[in-house]
Amino acid sequence: MSSLRCTITKNPIIFLVDTSTTLNQLKQIHTQLLINGILNDPHLFGQFVASIALNNPINLTYSNRLLDHCHNPTLFTFNSMIRAHCKSSTPHKSFEFYKRILASTHRLSPDNYTFNFLVRSCAQILSLESGMLVHGSVLKHGFDSDPHVQSGLIFMYAEMGCLDSCHKVFDQIPVPDLVCQTAIVSACAKWGEVVLARKLFDEMPVRDLIAWSAMIAGYAQCGLSRKALDLFNLMQIEGVKVNEVSMVSVLSACTHLGALDQGRWAHAYIEKNRLKMTVTLGTALIDMYAKCGDMNKAMEVFRCMRERNVYTWTSVINGLAMNGAGKKCLELFSMMKQAGVRPNEVTFISVLRGCSVVGLVEEGREHFDSMRRVYRIEPQLEHYGCLVDLYGRAGHLDEALNVIDDMPMKPHAGAWGALLNACTIYKNTEMGELASRKLVELEAKNHGAYVLLSNIYADSKEWDKVTDVRQVMKAKGVKKLPGCSAIEVDGEVHEFFVGDESHPRYNEIEFMLGEISRRLKLAGYVANTKPVLFDIEEEEKEDALCKHSEKIAIAFGLISLKQHQPISIVKNLRVCWDCHDVTMMISKIFDREITVRDRNRFHHFKDGQCSCKGYCTRIRDTIMILLVCSFKKQSSSSSSNSGSDENSSEKPAIILKVVDPPEPKIVVIMAGDEKPSFLAMPAVSSTICRCDHQV
């Protein structure tokens, strides 16, 4: 008789125990079994214990207590308890029943099922020491050739990150079956050996759904999203039915690439094939739509979900933050708390990001303080990094540095990087040098630290220091990550690198870049060449900026997509100031909606405006002195007679452009005046007498 599948016919009363059985109902069934003497049979007793343990983990304690009153439990009973615990929140208790098997007075001996479930328990608790002891017992009892135990050992070592041990187990199998082959493919894919995983996958004579899902997940986890989608397409061609696990990996790949069209197709596939919308799958859909820039659809999926957990709420809150909807992010966070869902550490990272993107400093600080005060959540490095970013983006550089100095743990690269970025925006060279030095100490190969510091020096035209930074980068072997932008057209993702001329339609792209440049200049565009880190002629700088990857991708979108179709770009780096301004102008000149997802957030461009409302670049514009000139100021008595110059005077003045979204202002500071004047641009233009020079 098998120790797992009891051959004794199950009693009809025992059949009443199922997943919905409550504790009171369970006690009633138990009473009937006792009255009828059914539990006197050790095999039927084992069936009853197993039914309780395996049907509902909530009743696992009841089955444990019941087993304690049994004088001669069978191996089937013990194995059922080991199996139930290995799938529960208490997998370590499986070993108690294994010890009882070994200590049994009825000469019980563990079998292949015992070890199959024990290795799963070891994988659950991630104890390598326990796993090796169980592996030794497997060899001692002679079950090392059992295919279920073999696949279980491969799975166990894979969960612990011991890929060499996975290979050793697999290499000792003379003729591995489908389960073992799938296990080793999953192990290799999980830990990044996707080339070997694909080789083993292709060599499999038969591939089941688990193998396909594992290979797709491996590609997605390693960032090889295009390969993941290609394999998914091959899976469709071969007629393999997809399940929830596969679709989660497919959606993850679409998310990484920003492939909204393919993500929409995956959503349609889910609905057409009536796949169950589990919490995991629904959350993956929300994440895909949010990170592909379609927050309306993400919210639609969110509202339609019957069941939501903290990860679902966090995903949609993070999506709103990424898309610049900081206030809506906080509104949803309030709804989450009202719904009784307790936020976790990741939720607060999303909330703090939402505050940061719209400059809600006080609200962000309050939410940060509430972590410890209300929810007993100790802020981690990521939370302090968000707080530094919150203060830094708002221009409170001293407060940002104070946060770093007061951190209870050693500041990480994220905190110093956030401060360095703020110093770049606010032109604080001294603090920027400090942040860069600290960042390089932590991550010597971090190209971003060198590039941002170079930006600060280049902005001040300190070309010698720019050269020094580049020489240090060269000496340390640090290479700047090339900009890469991706755009999806007709379900195919096209990638462009800075200065890339390899695309088969590049001649058309170059022609469109020229047309864009021509129209921009007609609209009054002047390239912002400060981010170009070389002391070269302005014309060369403008050409360098023209070849940024997102501009190439936008040009390709203009020649490839129909007029009404939005252009969606995904970039691996932060969008530079010039590209941000150019994209705003393109959206108006060409009447196109353009979405750019960079390393930090989304920018939605429409009618010459951006969803960030200039917040990411407002400081650059705020401190820009436009003109040092002679300004004709009219007295209040002459304001009613604009044609008279008798009461007007000409004074030296400085004119500044101040951008305080959404309305720009022009500030005129005149010699002898106690207060500055705020005028509209036409009024300024009509009253300038003589321009001495432009700063």
Side-chain angles (χ1 to χ4, degrees):
M1 182 181 69
S2 169
S3 66
L4 185 67
R5 301 184 183 279
C6 190
T7 56
I8 304 297
T9 303
K10 188 179 290 187
N11 186 277
I13 300 179
I14 297 177
F15 261 119
L16 296 175
V17 180
D18 58 24
T19 55
S20 62
T21 304
T22 64
L23 183 59
N24 286 333
Q25 292 171 337
L26 195 58
K27 290 178 179 179
Q28 292 176 14
I29 294 171
H30 188 185
T31 301
Q32 288 298 317
L33 292 172
L34 288 171
I35 292 173
N36 292 297
I38 295 172
L39 296 184
N40 294 330
D41 186 321
H43 299 296
L44 292 176
F45 182 90
Q47 286 182 357
F48 182 51
V49 171
S51 296
I52 299 171
L54 297 173
N55 274 298
N56 193 338
I58 295 176
N59 297 325
L60 196 52
T61 303
Y62 192 87
S63 61
N64 288 338
R65 290 165 54 194
L66 189 61
L67 185 58
D68 290 339
H69 291 85
C70 182
H71 301 293
N72 56 343
T74 63
L75 182 59
F76 168 79
T77 308
F78 283 128
N79 282 349
S80 297
M81 293 302 295
I82 294 173
R83 179 186 180 189
H85 278 288
C86 84
K87 296 164 63 177
S88 74
S89 59
T90 55
H92 58 280
K93 290 188 176 181
S94 298
F95 298 97
E96 297 178 8
F97 299 100
Y98 177 63
K99 291 176 182 177
R100 290 177 66 174
I101 293 174
L102 299 179
S104 171
T105 57
H106 295 81
R107 297 183 180 180
L108 295 179
S109 179
D111 63 3
N112 57 335
Y113 291 107
T114 310
F115 291 114
N116 186 30
F117 300 137
L118 276 179
V119 294
R120 302 282 172 175
S121 295
C122 295
Q124 283 283 86
I125 62 176
L126 297 177
S127 171
L128 181 59
E129 181 182 359
S130 298
M132 294 179 71
L133 288 173
V134 171
H135 192 174
S137 297
V138 167
L139 296 171
K140 177 182 176 180
H141 288 85
F143 292 108
D144 52 309
S145 60
D146 183 88
H148 294 288
V149 176
Q150 291 167 339
S151 63
L153 286 169
I154 295 171
F155 173 80
M156 178 191 75
Y157 284 123
E159 287 296 298
M160 298 175 187
C162 303
L163 199 54
D164 288 341
S165 298
C166 295
H167 287 301
K168 288 178 181 178
V169 173
F170 183 76
D171 292 341
Q172 292 173 1
I173 305 173
V175 184
D177 64 359
L178 175 62
V179 179
C180 291
Q181 289 175 322
T182 301
I184 193 64
V185 167
S186 301
C188 293
K190 180 182 178 71
W191 293 105
E193 287 194 7
V194 289
V195 175
L196 177 58
R198 185 58 190 264
K199 179 178 179 294
L200 294 168
F201 177 81
D202 290 337
E203 291 173 352
M204 292 177 67
V206 179
R207 297 184 286 254
D208 62 2
L209 176 59
I210 298 174
W212 283 95
S213 299
M215 196 66 240
I216 292 172
Y219 278 138
Q221 290 167 6
C222 293
L224 301 172
S225 302
R226 298 183 74 170
K227 288 185 177 292
L229 295 179
D230 289 343
L231 191 62
F232 176 68
N233 291 333
L234 180 61
M235 185 179 181
Q236 298 301 293
I237 293 171
E238 296 200 7
V240 181
K241 189 175 181 181
V242 181
N243 65 359
E244 173 209 341
V245 177
S246 305
M247 291 310 303
V248 169
S249 298
V250 169
L251 290 169
S252 175
C254 295
T255 302
H256 181 261
L257 287 173
L260 182 57
D261 286 345
Q262 295 197 42
R264 287 170 176 158
W265 183 90
H267 190 184
Y269 181 94
I270 292 169
E271 292 179 337
K272 180 181 178 182
N273 290 273
R274 297 182 180 178
L275 293 182
K276 184 180 179 182
M277 187 59 70
T278 62
V279 176
T280 303
L281 186 56
T283 303
L285 262 177
I286 291 171
D287 194 54
M288 183 276 295
Y289 278 121
K291 291 180 179 177
C292 288
D294 192 345
M295 271 312 300
N296 289 333
K297 193 65 178 177
M299 291 302 299
E300 181 183 319
V301 174
F302 175 77
R303 294 188 189 100
C304 291
M305 288 181 64
R306 295 180 179 178
E307 183 182 356
R308 306 166 185 156
N309 61 15
V310 63
Y311 303 106
T312 312
W313 284 92
T314 299
S315 182
V316 75
I317 290 171
N318 183 59
L320 289 168
M322 282 189 65
N323 283 272
K327 292 184 178 179
K328 289 184 178 179
C329 166
L330 297 183
E331 289 173 6
L332 198 69
F333 181 54
S334 297
M335 290 173 60
M336 174 184 177
K337 292 185 288 185
Q338 290 171 9
V341 180
R342 184 181 178 84
N344 61 15
E345 294 87 346
V346 182
T347 312
F348 278 103
I349 291 175
S350 301
V351 169
L352 292 172
R353 283 175 177 167
C355 295
S356 182
V357 296
V358 289
L360 299 174
V361 178
E362 295 302 322
E363 291 88 338
R365 183 74 213 201
E366 174 61 28
H367 286 301
F368 179 87
D369 293 340
S370 73
M371 289 177 61
R372 187 185 289 112
R373 186 181 70 249
V374 179
Y375 298 100
R376 301 292 186 267
I377 297 175
E378 198 64 31
Q380 301 300 312
L381 287 170
E382 293 80 5
H383 302 101
Y384 284 102
C386 289
L387 193 60
V388 173
D389 184 62
L390 176 66
Y391 280 123
R393 282 175 180 264
H396 306 313
L397 299 187
D398 290 335
E399 288 89 338
L401 184 57
N402 289 338
V403 170
I404 294 177
D405 291 338
D406 294 340
M407 286 174 64
M409 70 284 286
K410 183 179 179 181
H412 66 316
W416 288 113
L419 180 62
L420 179 56
N421 179 57
C423 292
T424 305
I425 297 174
Y426 287 86
K427 316 291 189 294
N428 191 321
T429 305
E430 183 180 354
M431 195 178 292
E433 289 175 337
L434 169 66
S436 177
R437 186 168 62 252
K438 293 291 186 179
L439 188 54
V440 170
E441 287 176 5
L442 292 169
E443 297 181 354
K445 297 290 185 179
N446 188 325
H447 72 278
Y450 298 97
V451 172
L452 286 174
L453 184 60
S454 295
N455 279 339
I456 296 175
Y457 289 144
D459 202 42
S460 304
K461 300 208 179 281
E462 298 181 64
W463 300 112
D464 290 341
K465 291 187 176 181
V466 171
T467 301
D468 291 343
V469 172
R470 295 182 65 82
Q471 287 177 347
V472 171
M473 290 177 68
K474 186 175 181 180
K476 292 186 176 182
V478 180
K479 294 184 179 180
K480 182 180 181 296
L481 185 68
C484 175
S485 295
I487 178 173
E488 184 185 24
V489 175
D490 296 331
E492 182 180 356
V493 178
H494 301 260
E495 291 181 335
F496 298 94
F497 290 86
V498 59
D500 190 3
E501 299 181 4
S502 62
H503 196 276
R505 298 184 64 185
Y506 185 74
N507 289 337
E508 299 174 69
I509 294 172
E510 191 170 36
F511 180 82
M512 177 54 71
L513 286 171
E515 178 64 14
I516 291 172
S517 180
R518 185 184 69 82
R519 294 202 197 181
L520 287 174
K521 288 180 179 178
L522 287 174
Y525 161 73
V526 177
N528 175 25
T529 58
K530 289 184 180 180
V532 181
L533 306 182
F534 301 100
D535 186 12
I536 57 178
E537 296 299 322
E538 288 300 307
E539 186 175 343
E540 295 177 80
K541 290 185 177 183
E542 289 183 23
D543 184 62
L545 286 169
C546 183
K547 298 298 176 67
H548 278 193
S549 62
E550 61 265 52
K551 291 178 180 173
I552 300 174
I554 289 171
F556 178 70
L558 289 172
I559 66 174
S560 303
L561 296 171
K562 296 178 181 179
Q563 179 63 32
H564 68 279
Q565 287 185 271
I567 297 174
S568 296
I569 309 291
V570 176
K571 187 177 181 181
N572 64 334
L573 303 176
R574 182 185 283 110
V575 173
C576 76
W577 290 334
D578 183 74
C579 289
H580 184 273
D581 292 347
V582 165
T583 308
M584 281 201 300
M585 295 183 72
I586 291 174
S587 71
K588 185 172 184 63
I589 294 170
F590 289 84
D591 191 24
R592 298 295 285 267
E593 289 186 32
I594 304 173
T595 299
V596 179
R597 186 184 94 191
D598 68 8
R599 187 176 60 188
N600 291 328
R601 59 168 296 164
F602 275 92
H603 298 270
H604 298 275
F605 301 94
K606 185 178 181 181
D607 296 328
Q609 300 293 324
C610 177
S611 59
C612 74
K613 294 182 172 60
Y615 180 69
C616 65
T617 57
R618 72 162 69 176
I619 303 308
R620 170 178 59 89
D621 292 330
T622 299
I623 65 172
M624 183 168 62
I625 301 175
L626 296 181
L627 299 171
V628 178
C629 60
S630 294
F631 190 83
K632 181 168 60 181
K633 181 181 181 183
Q634 294 185 335
S635 64
S636 57
S637 61
S638 64
S639 60
S640 60
N641 185 2
S642 59
S644 174
D645 292 334
E646 293 180 3
N647 296 315
S648 64
S649 60
E650 184 178 319
K651 294 183 179 181
I654 295 178
I655 298 180
L656 302 93
K657 178 184 177 185
V658 180
V659 173
D660 188 11
E663 295 298 330
K665 301 172 184 176
I666 302 298
V667 181
V668 180
I669 303 176
M670 298 184 63
D673 283 2
E674 294 182 359
K675 295 182 179 180
S677 303
F678 293 84
L679 299 176
M681 181 61 84
V684 173
S685 301
S686 64
T687 50
I688 292 177
C689 301
R690 182 184 70 257
C691 178
D692 296 329
H693 62 276
Q694 182 168 347
V695 179

